[in-house]
Amino acid sequence: MSTTADPLAALGALPGVAESVESVRKAVDRVYGHRIMRRRSNAVTSEAALRAARGSAALSGADWALEEVRRRTDFGTDDKARMMGAALRLTAEAGQLLSIWRQSPLRVLARLHLVAAASDESRVGRPRQAGEAVDEPLIELPLPDAREVSGRLDGLADLIIAGSSAPALVTAAVVHGELLALRPFTSHNGLVARAAERIVLIGSGLDPKAICPAEVGHAEQGRAEYLAALEGYVSGTPEGMAAWIAHCGRAVEFGVRESTAVCEALQRGAA
């Protein structure tokens, strides 16, 4: 990342990023302009949250059909069910943490991990320590050591607290990518990273009603493409960073498409 006073804004100037930002803004504006949003926005938000949780869980290995997620009430029977339950809890929790994020992002991340893990083990809700293993089998990138994790988390928190003129998409992509690269917790890092991206997109004002679930788009693009884009972020090259931001932009646009279909279905039902 750039060493300028506003490194996030510097990323926004990378080739192709402005086009991604503009494309996302236009897509978001279109769905917010749908006439069903004037009367039934809460219904769209609720459905988007369910689909977001389903998409995030799919990327962490629990790829259930949407109707199965809707039908099930027991999320503690096996590993995949527990992963789905964690994704549902995180999606619900994210909206409660918006006011804390800008003042204390590390506190929010700790809370997200506590909610996801649903355990009182001592390693839950704090960054991993030297020698602690990470259970994140679907991400096989080199794992930074605990000391590097601590320093980079502090740096990320400083960026969030200081604020930036960068577009929300850029900030959300960096938060998401950095957390996946670091895997700062002993488990559930993918779910936490995507929940943090969600918080940035909502809290920034880009998607204040939480109706553009990027998690849906990340899942629709496929795990292979997700991991390939993440490798670009980890490379730290301008091309790799721009490719990751563009991937995140497409994810938001897929989320817009999903909620547009929800709006159309609600409109047909109200007709």
Side-chain angles (χ1 to χ4, degrees):
M1 290 177 61
S2 169
T3 57
T4 62
D6 190 349
L8 294 176
L11 291 177
L14 290 174
V17 170
E19 289 82 355
S20 293
V21 168
E22 180 63 17
S23 181
V24 166
R25 168 53 69 186
K26 287 180 178 178
V28 172
D29 286 348
R30 282 196 299 272
V31 71
Y32 269 85
H34 197 289
R35 63 181 183 176
I36 206 72
M37 288 295 295
R38 294 195 293 272
R39 297 179 286 115
R40 301 195 63 187
S41 64
N42 287 344
V44 181
T45 296
S46 295
E47 185 64 20
L50 185 72
R51 295 177 186 220
R54 185 256 157 212
S56 190
L59 288 168
S60 288
D63 192 358
W64 290 9
L66 182 62
E67 289 310 312
E68 177 75 358
V69 182
R70 205 186 302 280
R71 180 184 65 82
R72 288 283 289 270
T73 58
D74 181 5
F75 295 100
T77 54
D78 55 47
D79 288 346
K80 289 185 177 181
R82 283 189 286 273
M83 187 66 71
M84 184 63 68
L88 288 164
R89 291 192 300 273
L90 281 179
T91 303
E93 186 75 10
Q96 310 302 313
L97 299 171
L98 299 174
S99 63
I100 306 171
W101 174 254
R102 285 295 300 273
Q103 286 73 43
S104 187
L106 297 185
R107 180 181 163 197
V108 169
L109 294 175
R111 174 62 185 169
L112 291 174
H113 188 240
L114 276 168
V115 169
S119 167
D120 58 2
E121 293 182 17
S122 61
R123 61 184 180 172
V124 170
R126 61 156 174 80
R128 56 187 168 84
Q129 298 175 357
E132 289 183 328
V134 174
D135 181 14
E136 205 75 40
L138 301 178
I139 298 178
E140 299 178 351
L141 295 169
L143 191 68
D145 63 29
R147 188 171 184 176
E148 181 179 351
V149 166
S150 178
R152 286 173 63 175
L153 278 179
D154 285 344
L156 181 63
D158 289 345
L159 286 176
I160 299 302
I161 293 168
S164 172
S165 62
L169 173 64
V170 173
T171 302
V174 168
V175 168
H176 184 171
E178 190 72 355
L179 292 174
L180 284 179
L182 294 177
R183 281 146 289 161
F185 301 107
T186 56
S187 65
H188 297 91
N189 290 287
L191 294 183
V192 169
R194 291 183 288 275
E197 178 187 51
R198 179 179 183 82
I199 288 171
V200 174
L201 293 172
I202 299 169
S204 66
L206 177 64
D207 182 23
K209 293 184 182 293
I211 62 165
C212 306
E215 300 94 330
V216 169
H218 289 303
E220 285 204 19
Q221 292 179 85
R223 188 180 299 143
E225 188 168 334
Y226 183 66
L227 295 177
L230 176 61
E231 287 182 5
Y233 177 87
V234 171
S235 76
T237 64
E239 296 80 8
M241 298 291 284
W244 171 250
I245 294 168
H247 173 90
C248 292
R250 289 191 296 274
V252 175
E253 292 188 64
F254 275 114
V256 167
R257 187 181 69 181
E258 190 86 352
S259 285
T260 300
V262 171
C263 288
E264 294 295 331
L266 288 172
Q267 184 168 285
R268 289 193 299 273

